[in-house]
Every structure is written in structure tokens, then in C-alpha cells.
Amino acid sequence: MTTGASFTDVNALLPAKTILAVIALICAALFVGNIVRRGMMLPGVGFTLLVLSAILVGGVYPLLIQQFQVRPDELAKERQYIQRNIEFTRKAYGVDKAQVVPYGGQAESDPDKLKQAKDELKGVRLLDPAVVGPTFQQLQRVRPFYRFPDSLDVDRYKIGDQTVAAVVALRELSSAPAGQRSWVNDRMVYTHGYGFVSAYGDRFAQGGMPEFLTKDMPVNAASQIKVERPEIYFGEYSPLYSVVGGRGQQELNYPDNSQDGQASTTYAGRGGVPIDSLFHKLLYATKFQEKNLLLSGGIKDGAKILYNRNPREMVQRAAPWLTLDGDPYPAVVNGRIIWILDGYTTSNNYPYSERMSLGDATRDTITDTRSAVARQANDQVNYMRNSIKATVDAYDGTVTLYQWDTQDPVAKTWMKVFKGTVKPRGSIPAELESHFRYPLDLFKVQRQVLAKYHVTDPAAFYNAEGFWEVPEDPGAKGRRQPPYYQSLRMPGGGTEEFALTTVFNPRGTPNLAAFMSVNSEPGADYGKITILQTPRTPPSQGPGQVQNSFETDQQVKQILTQLRLANTRTIAGNLLTIPFAGGMLYVEPMYAMAAGGEEQQPYPLLQLVLVRYGDRIASANTLQEALDKLFGDSGGSTAPPSDQGDRKQREDGKQQGDVQLSAEAQRAIDELRDAVADFDKAQRNGDFAGMGEAYKRIQAAQRTLSEQASAGSRPSSGSSPSPSGSPSPSASPSAGG
């Protein structure tokens, strides 16, 4: 039932092995005695004694103890051994200090306090890095020979006097342009990627597009994140090998508007191996089975060959004793692009600790569907520490290892074997450390452990009382929901923290059991695990139930139905769970994209934000508007009025009689009519930016008309669209995505 020695092992099997060892010595003496007294009697007696004792003492005796002493009173007999398993498992995986706190017994209901909590809610990350990869690709790829990963990364940067969460990615080289493929172009001209692209995690630009912090080519010196060395020679998608740095060699740095159509560069980094001698050319021509390396006249003095360029593989070669996290992420440190990787020390021999498959524990929606994320091998482990932080310079390929967990004995031992390869923790630059975060794979393993081992009472553990499980991802049936990086303020906390979060369901049921967060901000509380356990009665709704409530809510359903019309499909973003005012606030961004084929290259844009608190649901184009609806006087989500509602409003207007319009109201009506027409046109053309601009004009006209209506000036409904609600369904922003 548990890993480690049990009652039968300690009280029957171990004594039996001692007895068998003694009997084995006796049998050995009998065989030795046969040298003096020859015959078959002594060996026969020894062999018979050994076989019978092995069966009776080694097999039957432990079985009798298990059947007649342990099973009738199993909990009492196994209690101390279950307790050892719990304690040692929690220590082995570094969760022995995790705090389980009761939460959610009394959710706030006072409107004033809810509005105050709403005003204090900052930095909710709506930009889903697992969804907006195609958006980055279409808006920032610039040329077809560049690419972004399918799943982007989350980091944080100091912008002005605030630290903001950002979704980040590198513009890496894919291949030489179609029609221009040749050995020279593939290996000597198109040698590297260019540029660090990042966007705010909690805000969007016009039309639901990401609001970029850094973008475009060449690097803008006025960008809020300063990138002085934007070239990417070492990355996750770098070519197999490239020849760089030769005298007079012209490598494509980035496309520009010059007469040549490109800005060129020559590699000047420390990375690479010289290939400007005949001997080296011969060696590498043999290694890569490429005669051009030997025959090409383009390889000049000073040329180098770059290969083995994937950051994960590079660190693995430098420290083969490490297990590396599957998600390296880029950061800009002192103007240079640096890959950051988390290294783990693992073991399968920690006493009493439960073993698990590292591959199974770390699988979720991201690892199952995104090719850029490396899956862990199915190695059995029962001890794991994030002992090493590694970096790889994206320009010159310098690999640096830093000790992170200074108490890990496994890392200390390996550091003695590989002397001088790991730098002490005190040598980590402050700017680099500010970009460290709690590693994903370790967190996934720890949540798998805590799904059971949050129960510390042996009796409750024996009865499997209160065990949890990681829920399914609401958007991917059959796959685990991944953990999410987000900025949040934990109950009782004074400030927001950058955290890695997940939720649990009770085993076998879809309700919410607990919310788990680990502080991901380097500092005194880094790695602090807090679990908010929700009451069992009344049960709280889990992620799957919340997703279902969004889809079945009548007002939200109407908007989503309109979003899915006109050759548009919706994509649900990450469903964030946020502790809020004594309860749980759920926030889900909804993206829309054209349903055309790959040749149309559609990409998702944010069009709706869904929120839920308690039993109330709201939706709007922005989070602030959705929260205003949720906690304001409207009391919930609103949808564009139906055609029947419009007709009723027109009939009511006719019965009440026409009222003379003010000049301002008439202008607003004209603008509303033009904006609706522009919205319809942009929708038909699949122009999301145009739709966003038109919708802003619709909102402005509506506000003007609402102000006029409040002042007592009611426009004639027979000559224009109704000013009191949203535009008709065909003109609603929801209709076009």
C-alpha cells in the first residue's frame, strides 16, 4: 500500500533473512565438511535444509504473519510505517513545509467590500501563452523564414516603477526562403534568428491584439526592454550547423528597406569551432557527410562552425548528471538574450519515499499538444530537487551553471566530481536572479505528491480519506490542466506575488477541493507552498463545472453563438482561478479567429472575457468591464438585445411619440449607423483590426446617446438604431469575434 518497509517486512521478513543467512552458513559448513568425509549425505542434508528453510522461513512464515496478525488489525500494525512513508515522501519531494489553510467558508457578499476587492485586483494575465503563438507568428514573424514556438513563455520585467508579467518569445530562424535554398544560403547566410518579442500579459491593444513591449525589426532603441544583442545563434530551432564569422562573410542579420533588402552582419562571438584549416574542414565534412564543407571557397580565414545549438542539449552535455526541465525560457539580462533552464537532481533510492514516473507526473495539455515543450522520460524517481539554475547565452553559446539549492546533498556530491563547473549561489547577478521562476516540472511532481500527501494522519491516509486529483483541462478532454504563472495576492498577503498555481478536485468528483500556489519570486518566500482547502459542504464548483456554466449561461451562450457565426471559431484561453474576497474568482479569456484553412493563416485575437464569482457570471470585452458587471448594479452578464427586443423598443417609441433630437444626438446616431456598417464590412473581410476600431466607435456613440437619454433627450427610434443597448447581433463585436 505504501513504499518502504511494512510490519511484515520488519517483524517477519528481516528476521527470516537473518535466519536464512545463518542456515546458509551451516549448509556451507556441511559442504566443506564433505571434503573430509566423502559421500552424498552431508551435501544432501545441507541442500534439503536450505530449500526447506527458504520455503518455510522465507515464504510461509511472512505469509502467516501477514494473514493472521496484520490483516485482522492492519491499521494498528501498519500505522507507524504509514507515518514514515508520509514524512519521508514529503521531505524527499520538498513539500514538507507546505501549508494547508482552510479557505472559502464565508465568501464576501457585501457589495461595497466586493467593489473594493475588485479595485485592488491587478495584473490578471489574460494573454494565454499557449494560445497566442500563432498571433505572434502573424504579427511579428516579419518574414516567412522566421518562426515562434507554439507555446510561449511567461516572465516579468520592470517597466517604469512597476513589475509586470509579460508573455515572451524569440524570433528564431526556420530555414532559408523557399526558392532560395542552397548550401551557401542554408549554412552561411541564413545562420541565426533575430529579436526578442514580448507583450503585456494583462492588457491588449486595439482589436484584441497583444500590446507589445518589444517588437519589429531592427530593435527599437526606445523599447521599454533594452536589447543590445538581438541575434540568436543558439536556440530551440537553430539549424543543424552553420558556418559563420569568416573574413568578409555576409550573414543575414534582419530584413530592412534598403536597396539590398537586408542588413548583414558577421559573427563575432566566442562560440563555435574554427573551420578555416583543411584538417578541420575534412573532419567536419566527414561528421556531417557534406562535401561542400571541404570544397567551398566561401569558408574564409576566421570562419567557425556552430553545431549542438539547442540550449537544453548544451546544458545536458555540460552537466550530464542533471535532469533538465522541459521548458527553457528566454530573458533579457543586461541587454543580452539569455536562455534560463532549471536543473534537477533526482534519485530512486530515498527510503520510504513513494516512487513515481517523472514522465507521467509532468504530462498535461501543454506537453501533449505542443511540440516545442520537451517531455520528460518515464524514469522512476522518489527524490527531486531544483539544485541548479543554468543559463545559455543566445549569441555566443556560453553555458553557466549556478548552485541554487545549497542544502541538496546530491548536488554537493556531483559538484565534487565535476569540480569547478558550478558557480556558487552568491555569484548569481541580481538582474539574472530577478528572472528566475519556480520550475514547471518540479511543481507538477509536487502537486502530484500533494494530491495524496497533504493528508498527514496515518488513519485518514490508510482510508484514502480526502485524496485529491489534478482536474482535466476544460478545453482538452482527457488531459490534465497545466499549472499557470500569474500575479496574485494570496489571502492575508500584503502585496501581489508572481506565483505558479494549480487546483485540485476531490478524487473522482468534479468539484473544487483546493487551490495550490507557490511563490515564484526570488526572495525570502521563494518556493513557499500554500494550499487553500475549500469546504466539503457546500461543495465549490471545479474548473470543468465552471466551464460548463459559461457555455450554458443564456446571456454568455448568446454571445458565444454570435462569435461562432460568420466563419469564425472561438478558442478558450487559460481558465484562471484566483482567491478573491473569501471565495474563488474564475477568469477566462475567449479568443476568436477565422475558421479558414492554413493558406489564410488565421490567428486568435481576444474578443471576450468571462468571469464568475459564486453563482454570478458576467462577460464583456475587457476584464474591467466584466468585473463592473459582476459586482455592479447590473448583477451579471449582458448580451446584445435580440431582434424581438429591438422591435419592441421601436414599437414603444412609436407609442410614446417622436421627440425632437438634439444636434449632438443626431450626430451620434449617424456615427452609430456608419460604425455598424463599417463593422459589418470588416467582419465580412475578416479584418479584426477594422472590427475593433469600428466597435470602439459604436461604444463611443452609445455613450453619447446614453448621456442624451439621461438628460431627457430621447431620439426617434424610427429613423435610427436603438441607442439604449448594444448594436444588433449582426453588428455586435461578439458576432465577428
Side-chain angles (χ1 to χ4, degrees):
M1 185 179 65
T2 58
T3 304
S6 65
F7 179 90
T8 301
D9 294 330
V10 173
N11 294 281
L13 193 58
L14 288 179
K17 289 183 176 182
T18 302
I19 294 171
L20 288 173
V22 174
I23 292 174
L25 291 175
I26 295 173
C27 293
L30 292 175
F31 276 91
V32 172
N34 191 55
I35 298 174
V36 178
R37 183 178 178 180
R38 295 182 178 278
M40 296 300 297
M41 187 182 69
L42 291 180
V45 171
F47 178 76
T48 303
L49 178 62
L50 188 62
V51 171
L52 288 177
S53 60
I55 295 174
L56 296 176
V57 179
V60 176
Y61 176 62
L63 181 62
L64 293 175
I65 294 295
Q66 180 68 27
Q67 290 292 333
F68 296 103
Q69 192 171 353
V70 175
R71 285 199 173 182
D73 193 16
E74 191 169 29
L75 177 57
K77 292 292 189 293
E78 300 286 5
R79 187 181 188 93
Q80 63 174 315
Y81 306 104
I82 296 174
Q83 184 66 51
R84 290 176 188 174
N85 172 250
I86 294 172
E87 292 178 1
F88 280 71
T89 299
R90 289 170 63 91
K91 288 180 181 178
Y93 291 101
V95 298
D96 51 314
K97 296 181 181 179
Q99 298 180 351
V100 180
V101 181
Y103 178 79
Q106 294 181 341
E108 187 59 66
S109 58
D110 181 79
D112 293 334
K113 292 183 178 179
L114 287 173
K115 290 180 180 179
Q116 180 181 355
K118 177 201 68 174
D119 294 338
E120 295 174 352
L121 186 65
K122 306 293 183 185
V124 178
R125 183 182 53 74
L126 298 177
L127 194 64
D128 186 349
V131 172
V132 298
T135 306
F136 273 52
Q137 185 86 344
Q138 292 303 312
L139 300 180
Q140 284 299 309
R141 182 172 56 170
V142 181
R143 293 291 189 273
F145 46 84
Y146 292 116
R147 66 166 297 177
F148 290 96
D150 297 327
S151 184
L152 311 185
D153 291 295
V154 180
D155 199 358
R156 61 263 186 238
Y157 284 86
K158 189 82 171 180
I159 305 300
D161 58 351
Q162 292 185 337
T163 299
V164 300
V167 174
V168 302
L170 299 186
R171 187 188 292 108
E172 294 200 50
L173 181 69
S174 176
S175 64
Q180 300 181 32
R181 301 294 302 273
S182 67
W183 184 85
V184 172
N185 278 344
D186 286 347
R187 302 305 179 190
M188 300 185 66
V189 177
Y190 295 89
T191 60
H192 62 279
Y194 182 96
F196 176 85
V197 180
S198 60
Y200 286 100
D202 61 344
R203 66 181 74 170
F204 287 80
Q206 176 181 316
M209 292 186 292
E211 183 172 335
F212 290 103
L213 284 160
T214 53
K215 61 178 182 177
D216 299 338
M217 305 170 76
V219 170
N220 188 343
S223 296
Q224 304 200 58
I225 301 174
K226 305 299 182 184
V227 184
E228 298 172 1
R229 178 59 75 181
E231 295 86 0
I232 304 156
Y233 283 88
F234 296 85
E236 293 180 296
Y237 301 101
S238 295
L240 176 64
Y241 70 89
S242 296
V243 178
V244 300
R247 179 172 51 84
Q249 182 172 333
Q250 297 296 301
E251 306 163 31
L252 170 70
N253 202 26
Y254 57 84
D256 65 6
N257 296 321
S258 66
Q259 183 176 357
D260 295 332
Q262 70 176 51
S264 299
T265 187
T266 301
Y267 181 70
R270 294 181 295 175
V273 179
I275 196 175
D276 52 358
S277 68
L278 180 61
F279 179 66
H280 283 180
K281 290 179 182 180
L282 180 61
L283 287 178
Y284 284 104
T286 303
K287 174 180 175 62
F288 293 109
Q289 297 294 297
E290 178 54 67
K291 65 180 184 299
N292 288 315
L293 285 171
L294 183 62
L295 303 177
S296 175
I299 302 178
K300 306 292 186 182
D301 292 342
K304 296 180 178 181
I305 184 169
L306 303 179
Y307 61 101
N308 293 337
R309 302 161 71 179
N310 185 289
R312 200 166 184 264
E313 295 176 359
M314 295 170 69
V315 175
Q316 194 70 76
R317 289 171 180 270
W321 46 277
L322 287 176
T323 298
L324 297 178
D325 191 89
D327 186 26
Y329 61 98
V332 176
V333 179
N334 295 321
R336 298 179 73 92
I337 298 174
I338 303 293
W339 289 98
I340 300 177
L341 302 91
D342 290 281
Y344 307 118
T345 49
T346 60
S347 174
N348 191 31
N349 298 301
Y350 198 93
Y352 279 102
S353 177
E354 180 171 301
R355 294 180 176 90
M356 66 174 61
S357 165
L358 186 59
D360 289 342
T362 56
R363 289 189 66 180
D364 57 25
T365 303
I366 304 299
T367 59
D368 284 347
T369 59
R370 307 294 178 181
S371 60
V373 178
R375 298 178 184 175
Q376 295 289 356
N378 289 321
D379 297 334
Q380 292 289 317
V381 299
N382 70 349
Y383 173 90
M384 190 171 186
R385 288 288 188 276
N386 177 210
S387 302
I388 304 296
K389 299 283 189 180
T391 65
V392 177
D393 190 297
Y395 183 73
D396 63 22
T398 301
V399 177
T400 308
L401 306 177
Y402 297 99
Q403 185 180 16
W404 183 247
D405 187 342
T406 58
Q407 304 302 316
D408 177 33
V410 180
K412 290 179 180 179
T413 302
W414 280 114
M415 288 168 63
K416 292 177 182 178
V417 177
F418 294 86
K419 291 183 179 180
T421 60
V422 180
K423 294 185 177 182
R425 178 163 179 166
S427 64
I428 301 175
E431 185 173 350
L432 172 62
E433 185 172 348
S434 69
H435 290 283
F436 286 168
R437 66 186 193 186
Y438 203 79
L440 275 170
D441 286 346
L442 176 61
F443 184 76
K444 293 175 187 178
V445 170
Q446 289 177 329
R447 72 173 179 178
Q448 189 80 355
V449 171
L450 286 169
K452 287 175 55 178
Y453 287 90
H454 70 279
V455 179
T456 56
D457 178 69
F461 192 94
Y462 174 82
N463 295 318
E465 178 65 24
F467 284 2
W468 301 332
E469 63 185 6
V470 179
E472 279 189 357
D473 190 335
K477 187 174 179 60
R479 298 189 178 102
R480 290 194 194 102
Q481 187 179 39
Y484 298 127
Y485 287 105
Q486 56 175 317
S487 298
L488 55 80
R489 181 179 301 174
M490 292 294 287
T495 59
E496 292 181 351
E497 61 186 39
F498 185 65
L500 185 55
T501 65
T502 190
V503 296
F504 295 103
N505 290 348
R507 182 175 289 184
T509 61
N511 302 112
L512 180 68
F515 172 87
M516 174 177 167
S517 171
V518 61
N519 191 316
S520 191
E521 197 72 48
D525 289 333
Y526 174 87
K528 179 182 178 182
I529 298 175
T530 304
I531 300 174
L532 305 181
Q533 186 171 4
T534 59
R536 298 185 183 181
T537 55
S540 302
Q541 293 205 344
Q545 294 172 317
V546 171
Q547 183 67 42
N548 182 70
S549 70
F550 284 150
E551 295 284 348
T552 56
D553 180 83
Q554 289 301 313
Q555 296 178 354
V556 173
K557 186 177 180 180
Q558 181 180 354
I559 298 176
L560 293 179
T561 300
Q562 294 172 0
L563 272 171
R564 292 160 183 165
L565 297 176
N567 199 34
T568 301
R569 68 184 182 94
T570 58
I571 302 173
N574 40 216
L575 178 58
L576 300 180
T577 306
I578 303 172
F580 179 88
M584 291 294 179
L585 175 68
Y586 291 91
V587 179
E588 181 178 65
M590 187 66 69
Y591 296 82
M593 64 184 293
E598 293 185 1
E599 65 280 358
Q600 297 180 358
Q601 299 181 333
Y603 55 93
L605 297 173
L606 180 74
Q607 295 301 308
L608 195 66
V609 179
L610 308 177
V611 294
R612 173 172 177 154
Y613 178 78
D615 294 330
R616 304 178 68 186
I617 295 174
S619 63
N621 296 97
T622 67
L623 176 61
Q624 189 60 48
E625 292 175 3
L627 293 176
D628 288 343
K629 290 181 179 180
L630 193 66
F631 300 119
D633 296 334
S634 61
S637 60
T638 60
S642 63
D643 292 338
Q644 290 84 356
D646 288 340
R647 286 195 295 269
K648 186 177 185 303
Q649 289 178 354
R650 287 193 293 269
E651 291 171 359
D652 291 343
K654 290 180 180 179
Q655 292 174 1
Q656 294 172 5
D658 292 341
V659 179
Q660 184 65 35
L661 294 176
S662 66
E664 186 175 0
Q666 186 60 57
R667 283 195 300 270
I669 290 174
D670 294 339
E671 174 58 26
L672 180 60
R673 183 185 296 109
D674 294 342
V676 168
D678 292 343
F679 188 95
D680 286 338
K681 181 179 178 181
Q683 181 185 26
R684 289 192 297 271
N685 295 333
D687 180 5
F688 289 105
M691 292 163 61
E693 178 62 31
Y695 183 60
K696 285 187 175 181
R697 291 162 51 201
I698 291 172
Q699 289 180 313
Q702 288 178 330
R703 285 194 295 269
T704 301
L705 291 172
S706 296
E707 293 170 358
Q708 291 293 307
S710 299
S713 174
R714 296 176 58 95
S716 173
S717 59
S719 60
S720 65
S722 170
S724 60
S726 300
S728 65
S730 63
S732 166
S734 300

